[in-house]
Amino acid sequence: AVVSTQSTGTGRGGGDSKEWYPCTKLGRLVKDGMIKKIEEIYLFSLPIKEAEIIDFFLGSKLKDEVLKIMPVQKQTRAGQRTRFKAFVAIGDYDGHIGLGVKCSKEVATAIRGAIILAKLSVIPVRRGYWGNKIGMPHTVPCKVTGKCGSVLVRLVPAPRGTGLVSAPVPKKLLNMAGFEDCYTCATGQTATLGNFAKATFAAIAATYAYLTPDMWSPTVFTNSPYQEYTDYLAKPFVKQPKKEVKY
């Protein structure tokens, strides 16, 4: 069953408008306007540990969708202990996508945690052309594959106007990532929705793993934000009282 949440993508799972006190160096630089675009973070492969960083850059554009909620059980002496596992996809339909999985005793808590994890896993998506480079990029730049468990997903470039030729689960992820046309090929136990979604996410992430000839120009290296603003980060930062995050 696919459940769509009405969250606008602001704050912790939406609706939380409290003041954000960053607790990482990257968070401080983002909040104080030192980093202007999220691409600067990806350029230096800086790990994002706070979901609010993604909200800061993509907040209003992000849309999340619950792909599946499934009960998982653990056998105990007293019987079974049932928890709920939520799979949430998040994207801005224009080159950014994330996937989060969270297990919890309550459905609402699992969804909330999965949204936070999805934001932390947001990746940039590279798009390209099927033939001539006319107009905006619309499909995958080359054939890419992703694998999780037995599921293998292959994304193949498609001509403009084809649409997303895909099963419902990858179609959602490809649409959220901003692809307009794409052929797909899947093998393995695709009924396992979690692995199907993760394999598709891995394939989408692989689009930036290929060094194509149009990216052969010499790289001009610049300092990372930590190096550039080292004097600013060296100043003492007044830490706010720590808030408990309830999952």
Side-chain angles (χ1 to χ4, degrees), residues 71-76 78-84 103 105:
V72 289
Q73 290 182 323
K74 178 185 177 182
Q75 193 69 33
T76 61
Q80 294 98 1
R81 191 191 69 185
T82 304
R83 293 198 298 170
F84 296 98
C103 204
K105 282 190 275 190

Side-chain angles (χ1 to χ4, degrees), residues 27-101:
R28 283 174 60 191
L29 292 176
V30 168
K31 191 179 180 191
D32 297 335
M34 306 288 185
I35 294 175
K36 300 286 187 289
K37 291 189 306 212
I38 196 168
E39 274 64 36
E40 291 177 39
I41 299 173
Y42 295 135
L43 182 64
F44 296 99
S45 302
L46 304 176
I48 297 173
K49 304 279 187 180
E50 296 179 84
E52 289 86 353
I53 292 173
I54 300 296
D55 286 331
F56 186 87
F57 290 115
L58 307 173
S60 58
K61 291 188 283 185
L62 278 182
K63 295 280 179 289
D64 55 66
E65 191 161 335
V66 180
L67 299 176
K68 188 178 186 181
I69 295 164
M70 58 185 282
V72 289
Q73 290 182 323
K74 178 185 177 182
Q75 193 69 33
T76 61
R77 277 184 301 180
Q80 294 98 1
R81 191 191 69 185
T82 304
R83 293 198 298 170
F84 296 98
K85 192 176 184 182
F87 295 90
V88 172
I90 199 164
D92 64 350
Y93 295 84
D94 189 25
H96 297 96
I97 188 164
L99 182 68
V101 184

Side-chain angles (χ1 to χ4, degrees), residues 148-171:
C148 182
S150 72
V151 183
L152 186 137
V153 173
R154 187 175 193 229
L155 307 180
V156 180
R160 211 180 279 277
T162 306
L164 300 172
V165 183
S166 162
V169 175
K171 185 178 265 189

